[in-house]
Amino acid sequence: LAVIELRRQNASSFATYRSDFHTRALRRRRLRQDLERAEEEGQFELFYQPQIDLSTGRTIGMEALLRWRHPAYGLLPPNGFLAELEQMPQAKRVDKWVLQAATAQAAAWSGAQPLRVAINIFPDRLGPELVQDVERALDAHHLAPEALEIEITERHALDDLDGAASTVRSLRNLGVSVALDDFGTGFASLSAISALDVNRLKIDRSFVSDMLTNGKSVAIIATLIELGRRIEMSILAEGIETAEQRDLLHAFGCNEGQGYLFGKPGPPELLWPTGVSPAAAVPHAETCTGPA
Ligand code: C2E
Ligand code: MG
Ligand code: MG
Ligand code: MG
């Protein structure tokens, strides 16, 4: 009897597995179709999140973050679709669009106070073509290169460190700055970080989120900040949610921060109206709908 029961269980879990697999494959195909349409029909938007000078409390930059206004599911953050998009030919066009849209927005914002706008790019975009695109976008929107920053991650340099370092150099020669995003989570060696020679290190949110409860995170943060200062790079901590985190990071020597404490990502017109120069961005609560 036990054997029969076991057989039955196996058969049914296999059936469940098959149907799961089937659903997953279907869902993925559907996602890819939707993404193709999203690119064609302009369903992508950029939200912006303020970056703050921790000494003065002033907004010094905005990070552009991709959002998808899905016709059925509403506003979607990138974690549900970015990995799929990255494998599609559309990825390159989305990156180009992000560059265009963010440069245009930076130009609209650049008034009395220059506001640096940072963008994220897909790893395989870090090359000579990106430098050309950046140069053209700056020209087209009459934007000062200092108002643009490109965020890369250690993944960008994984296959070809020399190539990545040379692209970073070209961008910096244009006057555009480069930040190393999610710093501390990758596997780049210290020599790789030194070779990349970016302007700014962005300490990953994972360290900040448990720095008040985890002694190891505090030690890592203090070390990353010290490292950055010694190699003369700016340090920006991401994911700051409390005043306590902000104060401790500042005390450690971190000069810039970003996180829900200062403002959630939001549509540009709500954050910093064009033609107006508030001292700090108005916090705007992000509401993303759709399936988790
Ligand atoms: P990232 O570049 O590290 O961006 C920071 C992420 O942390 C954003 O998530 C932001 O909304 C979130 N965040 C910021 N402050 C806080 C905080 O205080 N608490 C918490 N819990 N979260 C915070 P988002 O917008 O979902 O973006 C996720 C990732 O998707 C980004 O990570 C970036 O790697 C990628 N991404 C976003 N926009 C683009 C894009 O236009 N192109 C490309 N290629 N990748 C993008
Ligand atoms: Mg980023
Ligand atoms: Mg980041
Ligand atoms: Mg991160």
Side-chain angles (χ1 to χ4, degrees):
L1 202 77
V3 170
I4 291 169
E5 184 53 34
L6 196 69
R7 281 220 186 105
R8 250 195 11 198
Q9 270 179 17
N10 278 347
S12 87
S13 63
F14 183 66
T16 313
Y17 167 76
R18 292 233 343 191
S19 92
D20 264 12
F21 185 79
H22 189 64
T23 329
R24 246 187 301 142
L26 262 180
R27 219 190 276 147
R28 179 160 177 222
R29 207 172 68 204
R30 184 66 195 279
L31 174 63
R32 292 176 75 93
Q33 286 167 352
D34 283 3
L35 280 167
E36 275 169 30
R37 284 193 51 191
E39 197 274 323
E40 285 160 15
E41 295 181 7
Q43 294 168 6
F44 290 115
E45 290 176 23
L46 289 179
F47 270 22
Y48 292 84
Q49 187 180 31
Q51 301 181 323
I52 307 295
D53 178 330
L54 293 182
S55 304
T56 62
R58 293 179 79 97
T59 298
I60 44 167
M62 292 280 188
E63 178 174 4
L65 294 161
L66 193 63
R67 295 292 180 267
W68 177 8
R69 201 167 289 279
H70 192 287
Y73 302 136
L75 194 62
L76 303 176
N79 55 341
F81 64 84
L82 213 59
E84 197 59 49
L85 181 60
E86 187 176 344
Q87 298 170 37
M88 296 171 54
Q90 279 76 12
K92 188 173 170 176
R93 288 212 288 275
V94 172
D95 259 0
K96 282 180 184 249
W97 173 81
V98 168
L99 174 64
Q100 283 303 319
T103 331
Q105 185 59 57
W109 271 330
S110 72
Q113 285 168 295
L115 189 64
R116 187 183 70 214
V117 168
I119 63 167
N120 299 277
I121 54 164
F122 286 110
D124 63 355
R125 286 283 289 151
L126 192 69
E129 202 192 327
L130 174 72
V131 183
Q132 263 181 25
D133 288 349
V134 164
E135 214 171 350
R136 278 200 211 112
L138 293 173
D139 265 3
H141 300 284
H142 308 288
L143 186 70
E146 295 73 33
L148 185 66
E149 179 158 283
I150 311 289
E151 296 195 0
I152 64 171
T153 63
E154 293 169 19
R155 259 178 83 209
H156 286 81
L158 224 52
D159 294 333
D160 175 14
L161 180 61
D162 289 343
S166 130
T167 304
V168 170
R169 218 172 304 126
S170 306
L171 289 168
R172 292 192 60 175
N173 284 341
L174 286 180
V176 170
S177 60
V178 182
L180 188 59
D181 204 356
D182 304 335
F183 181 50
T185 58
F187 299 97
S189 63
L190 293 178
S191 62
I193 285 158
S194 143
L196 276 178
D197 197 25
V198 297
N199 303 73
R200 175 172 288 96
L201 301 172
K202 294 188 74 178
I203 297 181
D204 192 65
R205 180 163 56 117
S206 57
F207 300 111
V208 176
S209 67
D210 60 11
M211 68 182 290
L212 299 175
T213 50
N214 182 340
K216 281 187 183 150
S217 285
V218 179
I220 290 170
I221 281 188
T223 308
L224 296 180
I225 292 172
E226 176 65 18
L227 169 69
R229 289 172 67 96
R230 288 202 178 204
I231 56 181
E232 287 171 346
M233 289 177 186
S234 262
I235 313 286
L236 186 148
E238 38 174 46
I240 302 181
E241 294 184 354
T242 69
E244 227 179 329
Q245 290 169 334
R246 176 199 58 203
D247 295 344
L248 195 54
L249 285 158
H250 190 222
F252 281 152
C254 177
N255 46 329
E256 296 170 356
Q258 181 180 344
Y260 293 172
L261 175 67
F262 311 110
K264 288 193 170 183
E269 62 280 2
L270 282 179
L271 284 167
W272 192 316
T274 306
V276 181
S277 291
V282 181
H284 167 77
E286 178 171 50
T287 42
C288 277
T289 52

